[in-house]
């Protein structure tokens, strides 16, 4: 079964169904409670957990298990289908010339992800360049430059220029030989008006093919507001979830995907440029419930 890594309490409540071919109301209630617990502890937003568990409950009580399927496998399939339905397949990223804008709060992993994504595109045979417009965080320029050197991809930044919009424009010109432009932006510690105004201006200047929201896997209930604000400002076409090598399960990404009507593009799994994976729903959902 796909969900081999289920959390132990969810697994044991499902195991009580072993051998049963029908579910009674109590069974369903018990399982729904466990699913809610797992999703909440994975940082999925409360309203979304309620919505998901309501549709799981409705299907678990309303649908007859197909002949030969145990009640346990039937419920598991429903849980899995509902989550896949929500999280979807990975964001479509054509291997062709394009401009990608990265948005997110400070520390979410934007700069690291920019270099990682450039490395990923270079391995696919494209010629990427990273443009660093973060003039807010000291060290952002050096960090991006160093990582791009390690990834052996083009880089543009200007430590003496304060206007990120000018850097973005100049960067696109200076790296015209590249075919994939990844534009890194400044974050702030919180959602502040100047952050949103700045990223709107950069978005207008670079006219990206897609804007991706970078989220730390450990983001909890704050994912919803962030996703809403960035989506309203620049239109979010996908999510990058970072720091999945830690203990956080990344449920905030589910919230963001739901809020923006987008999907997950990449997963960050470490601090080096190679620590990037394309999103794949099975593994992510197993981890979420694990
Ligand atoms: P930014 O402010 O959004 O540009 O964030 P950074 O790219 O500077 O990342 C903040 C910190 O998180 C840095 O110390 C990175 O090395 C670290 N980081 C970013 N992505 C990952 C990841 O996938 N795994 C781990 N373990 N650390 C990461």
């Amino acid at each position: 079964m796909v969900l081999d890594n289920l959390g132990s309490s969810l697994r044991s409540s499902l195991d009580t169904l072993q051998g049963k071919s029908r579910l009674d109301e109590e069974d369903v209630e018990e399982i729904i409670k466990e699913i809610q617990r797992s999703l909440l502890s994975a940082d999925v937003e409360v309203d979304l957990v309620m919505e998901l568990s309501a549709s799981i409950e409705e299907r678990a009580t309303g649908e007859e298990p197909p002949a030969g399927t145990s009640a346990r496998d039937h419920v598991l399939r429903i849980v899995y289908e509902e989550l896949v339905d929500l999280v979807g397949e990975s964001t479509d990223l054509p291997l062709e010339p394009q401009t990608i804008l990265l948005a997110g709060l400070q520390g979410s992993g934007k700069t690291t992800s920019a270099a990682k994504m450039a490395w990923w595109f270079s391995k696919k045979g494209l010629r990427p360049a990273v443009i660093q417009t973060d003039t807010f965080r000291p060290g952002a320029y050096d960090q991006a430059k160093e990582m791009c050197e390690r990834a052996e991809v083009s880089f543009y930044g200007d430590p003496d220029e304060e206007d990120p919009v000018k850097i973005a424009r100049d960067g696109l010109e200076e790296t015209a030989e590249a075919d994939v432009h990844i534009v890194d932006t400044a974050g702030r510690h919180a959602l502040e008006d100047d952050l949103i105004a700045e990223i709107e201006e950069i978005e207008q200047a670079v006219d990206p093919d897609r804007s991706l929201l970078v989220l730390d896997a450990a983001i909890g209930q704050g994912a919803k507001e962030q996703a809403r604000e960035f989506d309203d400002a620049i239109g979010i076409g996908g999510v990058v979830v970072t720091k999945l090598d830690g203990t956080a399960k990344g449920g905030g990404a589910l919230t963001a995907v739901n809020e923006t009507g987008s999907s997950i593009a990449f997963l960050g799994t470490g601090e080096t440029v190679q620590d990037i994976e394309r999103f794949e729903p099975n593994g992510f959902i197993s981890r979420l419930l694990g």
Side-chain angles (χ1 to χ4, degrees):
M1 187 78 200
V2 204
L3 297 175
D4 283 338
N5 306 329
L6 288 181
S8 58
S9 43
L10 184 54
R11 179 183 295 279
S12 53
S13 83
L14 280 165
D15 283 346
T16 60
L17 303 180
Q18 204 82 31
K20 281 197 182 187
S21 58
R22 283 198 61 86
L23 297 182
D24 54 42
E25 235 169 78
E26 250 173 60
D27 294 331
V28 174
E29 243 171 63
E30 185 55 37
I31 290 162
I32 294 297
K33 262 193 234 144
E34 283 304 335
I35 290 167
Q36 289 175 339
R37 257 179 239 142
S38 304
L39 294 174
L40 286 170
S41 68
D43 290 327
V44 182
E45 190 250 339
V46 181
D47 292 344
L48 186 54
V49 171
M50 293 308 153
E51 246 174 68
L52 266 170
S53 52
S55 33
I56 293 169
E57 182 165 9
E58 196 185 312
R59 289 186 57 191
T61 46
E63 290 175 18
E64 281 289 320
T69 306
S70 70
R72 177 185 186 275
D73 287 351
H74 180 56
V75 175
L76 258 178
R77 176 159 307 125
I78 292 171
V79 171
Y80 180 74
E81 281 173 3
E82 289 294 317
L83 286 167
V84 169
D85 200 39
L86 178 67
V87 77
E89 295 296 325
S90 60
T91 311
D92 189 32
L93 282 176
L95 295 177
E96 60 187 34
Q98 60 193 292
T99 301
I100 298 174
L101 182 66
L102 295 184
L105 293 190
Q106 186 166 325
S108 59
K110 283 182 306 303
T111 300
T112 309
S113 300
K116 287 177 175 180
M117 284 168 55
W119 178 81
W120 185 87
F121 277 108
S122 75
K123 293 292 153 210
K124 299 283 176 194
L126 286 135
R127 282 166 304 152
V130 171
I131 300 167
Q132 173 59 284
T133 73
D134 186 351
T135 54
F136 186 79
R137 179 165 64 88
Y141 171 86
D142 289 335
Q143 180 195 350
K145 188 166 182 276
E146 209 174 287
M147 284 198 84
C148 287
E149 278 165 11
R150 249 179 271 146
E152 298 180 357
V153 296
S154 306
F155 168 77
Y156 180 85
D158 183 352
D160 300 321
E161 174 57 58
E162 280 178 9
D163 177 6
V165 177
K166 179 167 182 340
I167 300 177
R169 282 209 186 93
D170 291 350
L172 288 177
E173 265 180 45
E174 294 289 328
T175 61
E177 83 292 348
D179 45 26
V180 176
H181 294 96
I182 300 170
V183 182
D184 187 18
T185 60
R188 299 288 189 275
H189 295 297
L191 285 165
E192 292 155 11
D193 291 346
D194 63 338
L195 165 67
I196 298 295
E198 179 177 302
I199 200 156
E200 278 173 344
E201 275 185 62
I202 297 173
E203 199 262 347
Q204 281 163 19
V206 305
D207 189 21
D209 296 286
R210 50 188 60 74
S211 296
L212 303 180
L213 175 64
V214 181
L215 283 182
D216 185 324
I219 187 163
Q221 303 293 319
K224 187 173 182 167
E225 194 198 353
Q226 257 189 61
R228 178 80 278 118
E229 294 246 354
F230 280 113
D231 194 34
D232 285 349
I234 56 168
I236 294 299
V239 174
V240 179
V241 194
T242 65
K243 309 185 198 180
L244 277 166
D245 48 316
T247 53
K249 297 193 169 152
L254 211 67
T255 311
V257 157
N258 184 52
E259 197 63 22
T260 57
S262 70
S263 50
I264 304 176
F266 287 108
L267 308 177
T269 56
E271 291 188 79
T272 70
V273 286
Q274 294 95 334
D275 295 325
I276 181 165
E277 291 169 16
R278 275 289 261 157
F279 170 73
E280 174 278 307
N282 290 358
F284 188 78
I285 290 169
S286 298
R287 178 188 173 99
L288 209 61
L289 295 172

